[in-house]
Amino acid sequence: MAESLTEDRLLPDATHNDMANAIRALAMDAVQKADSGHPGMPMGMADVATVLFTRFLKFDAADPNWPDRDRFVLSAGHGSMLLYSLLYLTGYPEMDIEQLKHFRQLGSKTPGHPEYGHAPGIETTTGPLGQGIGNAVGMALAERLLNARHGDGIVSHYTYCLSGDGCLMEGVSHEAISLAGHLKLGRLILLFDDNQISIDGPTSLSVSDNQLERFRASNWHVAQVDAHDPEAIALAIENAKQVTDRPSMIACRSIIGYGAPTKQGTASTHGSPLGHEEVAGARKYLKWTHEPFVLSKPLLAAWRAAGTRNRAARDAWMKAASRLDEATRGRLTDPIDAETKKAIIAAIKSIKADFSKDNAKLATRQSSQKVIEKLLPLIPGLIGGSADLTPSNGTLTKLHAIVKPGDYSGTYIHYGVREHGMAAAMNGLALHGGIVPYGGTFLVFTDYCRPSIRLSALMGKRVIYVMTHDSIGLGEDGPTHQPVEHLASLRAMPNINVFRPADSVECAECWELALTNDKTPSILALTRQGLPVLRRMHQDENLSAKGAYVLIEPEGERDVTILATGSEVSLAVDAAEQLKDEGIKAAVVSMPCWELFETQSEAYRDKVLGTAPRIGIEAAVEFGWRKWLGPEGIFIGMRGFGASAPADALYKHFGITADAVKKAARDLAGKPK
Ligand SMILES: Cc1ncc(C[n+]2csc(CCOP(=O)(O)OP(=O)(O)O)c2C)c(N)n1
């Protein structure tokens, strides 16, 4: 059990007010020194944060990665100085006073918004409002999933999320709140910084929601407190912890910029330094006599005591965990260890061997389903799901069990029609540790998930997006459902691998690559329509690992090189075979993952691309292809939106055909690149 610091224990060295004022002073001084930042939220929520960190939050500052720690998500990421102050005050490693003095400076551990991985104790990257709520839902769900597997002795913690008006105005908050309420995530407690101020001024300018009623309608327990009354805050949190069948929201009515004598309660404290005069006034108002970045020894000691108060609980946990076998213990943080990785690679080889013998056409969404079915028993932390497109995405197999409200023993989540919430929750599942999330929707709806996909990439988390119906090949649903610019726009994003496998063998290879890369999220762009198996000769080697490889090399010197991805590789193969009869020697290069190809040696890339003129074929827009094709190369693909018709008719209509490739080859053959 977490030990509580009572008022008695804090006195006489440091009162609650002293401790909260330490946060206020550090926040206003760091923002003032940086000459930019957001003092208002940390000053307003200092009391709530002090109560949480000194009396409730289960953490040990000396062991920031303790798997069963409570998670604290600062969804209102602009208030980063609140988090940095808390990490410094409670004694987290790496967060010394120098870091606070270098707030927002290049190379510091205190960037403008909290960035995952920059310093221990930062559980997620926040700043894009609302994302943190989705992350917290994922973390709270991860806790329940792992609790169902390992029991209370090993996984039993709370997830706290601090959100402002802005987070609650964002659409993603609706999806996240609704999902959490449905799943009865009773160990999720959201502390709402109810200060009624955002950037433009009072929130009454733009919103009149009754937030309590809104959360209540989504099956949450709700409460309302004065955010400057520590005992009321403590009571509300204590009560929320007792509610186990619903998440809790505590609306904390706060004064933004609390302590700034003329500016508190106004939008001017939100995102600018208070100014020297106002800071001096706040010192007087708060009776804070110290110089900037200075605290009395007893006060710092009181805060440091908060940072160590769960040491006994942490030690007891270590003892309990030591009774687990080593592999199980390791997988609480790293769900794909060396053994699991070996098992995945072996399974993928065997699936590839089976696929290569299969004559029937198979959509890559179906191959993907077969791969998932093989892998699920090998990866205890693999948790699938879909945003209400389960049958279309092929994300569910007969081996899955469904995660239900109150029963978290399953392996599959029906996320509902909440693409954005799903993606944000998957980030939380991955961030928690112990889970590898994958989730599906249509590729076109990556637009609905994009802010969260971007954060998967920025944080370098292994989140696998199973995005099916990846082109006009989906046919009759028409242009609203046919992605054309999505591959290009996802390829423009740093640190994400966009896989577009050409057949079932490549699909298996891409799954292996997605699962075994723990620093990069993946998009699997998969077809609705059936594709022939192109890799008929089984090879153990994962050819997709280099991002692109030569599928067909003609005898003698190449006349042209045809580059293609996904469903268009088979068109390229058809064209190459027909060109052979015409005496044109065409190589075919399959490019399942541009990002991985870009990381290969120049020698390898040159060898694959060759010196012959190039043709690129992809049922998507040209954007990005020039770097592979050169100025003279010919691109065959989409020039605008698609249309509603059967897939074959669309390919013909838009001129994405073997005939078009052949014509381009004839035009180019013999020309220098
Ligand atoms: C998605 C997104 N849109 C806009 C912003 C810019 N922004 C940062 S804070 C903020 C206002 C937030 O208001 P609130 O949550 O009430 O914060 P407070 O003023 O109480 O600190 C805005 C619009 C952002 N960070 N993220």
Side-chain angles (χ1 to χ4, degrees):
M1 272 303 288
E3 193 190 332
S4 286
L5 276 185
T6 61
E7 280 288 297
D8 282 353
R9 272 203 53 201
L10 293 177
L11 292 170
D13 295 339
T15 64
H16 166 89
N17 280 346
D18 293 335
M19 294 181 86
N21 285 342
I23 297 174
R24 294 190 174 101
L26 289 171
M28 70 180 182
D29 289 337
V31 171
Q32 197 61 44
K33 182 159 192 295
D35 201 21
S36 80
H38 301 76
M41 192 281 252
M43 295 176 83
M45 286 299 274
D47 290 308
V48 174
T50 300
V51 170
L52 181 66
F53 273 68
T54 60
R55 306 196 206 181
F56 291 97
L57 197 75
K58 182 173 77 168
F59 73 105
D60 181 353
D63 185 6
N65 297 322
W66 171 18
D68 199 33
R69 68 193 181 280
D70 284 346
R71 303 304 196 266
F72 175 69
V73 174
L74 186 76
S75 189
H78 56 279
S80 56
M81 268 311 302
L82 180 81
L83 183 53
Y84 301 148
S85 303
L86 289 162
L87 297 181
Y88 162 67
L89 290 166
T90 53
Y92 273 80
E94 299 179 32
M95 192 57 76
D96 56 29
I97 197 75
E98 288 307 309
Q99 294 298 337
L100 270 56
K101 290 181 187 168
H102 288 87
F103 178 48
R104 292 183 155 237
Q105 305 308 307
L106 191 64
S108 76
K109 294 178 189 300
T110 49
H113 295 83
E115 291 188 47
Y116 174 73
H118 276 227
I122 299 186
E123 302 280 8
T124 176
T125 294
T126 51
L129 296 171
Q131 291 294 327
I133 303 181
N135 296 165
V137 170
M139 290 176 188
L141 178 55
E143 190 270 344
R144 287 291 85 192
L145 292 167
L146 295 171
N147 172 275
R149 286 148 178 80
H150 302 290
D152 288 345
I154 299 299
V155 185
S156 176
H157 67 80
Y158 286 83
T159 300
Y160 294 93
C161 177
L162 197 165
S163 311
D165 297 290
C167 291
L168 297 192
M169 283 191 243
E170 289 292 349
V172 67
S173 75
H174 170 72
E175 298 180 24
I177 290 162
S178 165
L179 182 63
H182 170 72
L183 288 174
K184 300 191 192 296
L185 299 179
R187 285 166 167 260
L188 172 63
I189 298 177
L190 187 145
L191 301 160
F192 166 33
D193 177 14
D194 183 13
N195 62 22
Q196 300 180 306
I197 293 286
S198 63
I199 291 181
D200 281 2
T203 50
S204 58
L205 290 171
S206 57
V207 69
S208 46
D209 297 346
N210 180 330
Q211 294 293 2
L212 292 169
E213 288 306 319
R214 179 182 168 221
F215 277 78
R216 215 195 304 270
S218 289
N219 197 31
W220 285 57
H221 159 77
V222 294
Q224 202 166 19
V225 292
D226 173 351
H228 306 294
D229 177 346
E231 296 317 311
I233 298 162
L235 187 63
I237 297 177
E238 195 53 61
N239 288 342
K241 286 181 72 173
Q242 306 311 317
V243 178
T244 55
D245 63 343
R246 276 167 296 158
S248 294
M249 186 276 248
I250 304 171
C252 309
R253 175 56 56 84
S254 71
I255 298 172
I256 190 169
Y258 182 96
T262 70
K263 294 188 172 179
Q264 65 180 357
T266 71
S268 66
T269 66
H270 163 91
S272 328
L274 297 177
H276 290 292
E277 219 172 287
E278 188 76 5
V279 167
R283 282 193 145 65
K284 269 197 200 136
Y285 186 98
L286 298 170
K287 302 190 179 64
W288 185 259
T289 53
H290 309 289
E291 292 299 304
F293 305 105
V294 176
L295 273 87
S296 74
K297 273 196 179 147
L299 183 52
L300 188 57
W303 265 114
R304 292 289 150 98
T308 58
R309 68 184 219 287
N310 294 295
R311 182 79 31 98
R314 183 255 179 202
D315 291 347
W317 184 89
M318 292 300 270
K319 219 173 185 177
S322 71
R323 290 192 282 273
L324 294 173
D325 69 80
E326 207 181 314
T328 308
R329 195 168 56 243
R331 287 180 199 139
L332 287 174
T333 42
D334 177 13
I336 298 189
D337 57 8
E339 278 305 301
T340 311
K341 196 167 163 176
K342 258 197 236 159
I344 292 170
I345 293 170
I348 293 291
K349 279 183 190 156
S350 119
I351 300 166
K352 278 168 53 179
D354 291 346
F355 279 151
S356 63
K357 283 186 232 136
D358 203 340
N359 275 330
K361 276 188 166 187
L362 202 60
T364 45
R365 62 183 172 135
Q366 291 170 303
S367 338
S368 164
Q369 189 176 32
K370 286 176 190 268
V371 172
I372 295 168
E373 189 167 316
K374 266 272 165 56
L375 295 179
L376 188 67
L378 307 177
I379 313 172
L382 190 63
I383 298 291
S386 165
D388 201 46
L389 284 169
T390 293
S392 303
N393 298 146
T395 35
L396 181 67
T397 73
K398 60 179 185 294
L399 302 183
H400 281 101
I402 306 301
V403 173
K404 299 190 195 93
D407 174 3
Y408 309 95
S409 56
T411 44
Y412 192 85
I413 299 158
H414 286 293
Y415 285 103
V417 193
R418 303 183 185 97
E419 295 84 3
H420 198 175
M422 171 177 78
M426 287 205 293
N427 281 338
L429 288 168
L431 285 160
H432 180 279
I435 305 278
V436 181
Y438 73 87
T441 181
F442 291 154
L443 182 63
V444 78
F445 300 135
T446 48
D447 285 342
Y448 275 55
C449 314
R450 194 175 170 97
S452 304
I453 296 177
R454 186 169 189 272
L455 286 168
S456 313
L458 180 60
M459 293 191 278
K461 293 311 288 180
R462 176 171 38 203
V463 176
I464 302 174
Y465 295 92
V466 180
M467 299 306 195
T468 68
H469 297 57
D470 71 344
S471 75
I472 53 163
L474 68 85
E476 295 82 349
D477 271 349
T480 54
H481 284 51
Q482 291 161 355
V484 287
E485 76 280 28
H486 297 74
L487 291 169
S489 84
L490 290 163
R491 285 172 182 149
M493 192 182 279
N495 194 39
I496 185 159
N497 288 333
V498 181
F499 292 103
R500 190 163 188 252
D503 70 354
S504 45
V505 175
E506 275 193 10
C507 181
E509 291 181 341
C510 293
W511 259 108
E512 175 189 313
L513 296 167
L515 285 165
T516 55
N517 187 336
D518 66 351
K519 299 270 181 298
T520 305
S522 298
I523 303 273
L524 295 171
L526 306 175
T527 65
R528 174 188 183 227
Q529 74 274 30
L531 300 179
V533 180
L534 301 173
R535 297 263 298 277
R536 308 306 298 264
M537 288 274 290
H538 172 69
Q539 274 170 283
D540 272 353
E541 189 188 347
N542 186 328
L543 299 185
S544 302
K546 289 189 171 149
Y549 62 93
V550 179
L551 186 65
I552 296 179
E553 187 70 82
E555 283 191 17
E557 218 172 294
R558 298 178 187 178
D559 292 317
V560 288
T561 298
I562 310 171
L563 311 172
T565 77
S567 41
E568 286 68 70
V569 180
S570 46
L571 284 179
V573 168
D574 286 351
E577 279 164 6
Q578 293 166 29
L579 285 166
K580 200 168 158 191
D581 299 338
E582 296 181 24
I584 295 178
K585 293 190 279 281
V588 174
V589 171
S590 179
M591 306 185 82
C593 182
W594 288 15
E595 294 79 9
L596 291 178
F597 188 51
E598 274 161 11
T599 64
Q600 303 308 309
S601 68
E602 203 176 334
Y604 177 77
R605 289 200 312 258
D606 288 349
K607 195 166 139 252
V608 169
L609 295 172
T611 53
R614 295 170 199 156
I615 299 164
I617 174 163
E618 182 168 71
V621 297
E622 182 183 325
F623 202 89
W625 269 92
R626 275 299 135 200
K627 72 177 153 187
W628 308 124
L629 296 177
E632 304 298 330
I634 294 177
F635 177 73
I636 296 167
M638 297 296 290
R639 303 199 184 286
F641 293 115
S644 171
D648 287 349
L650 290 174
Y651 271 90
K652 260 190 217 117
H653 176 74
F654 290 109
I656 304 173
T657 60
D659 281 347
V661 178
K662 284 191 305 186
K663 180 176 176 313
R666 284 184 214 114
D667 290 349
L668 287 176
K671 279 194 195 169
K673 179 165 72 86

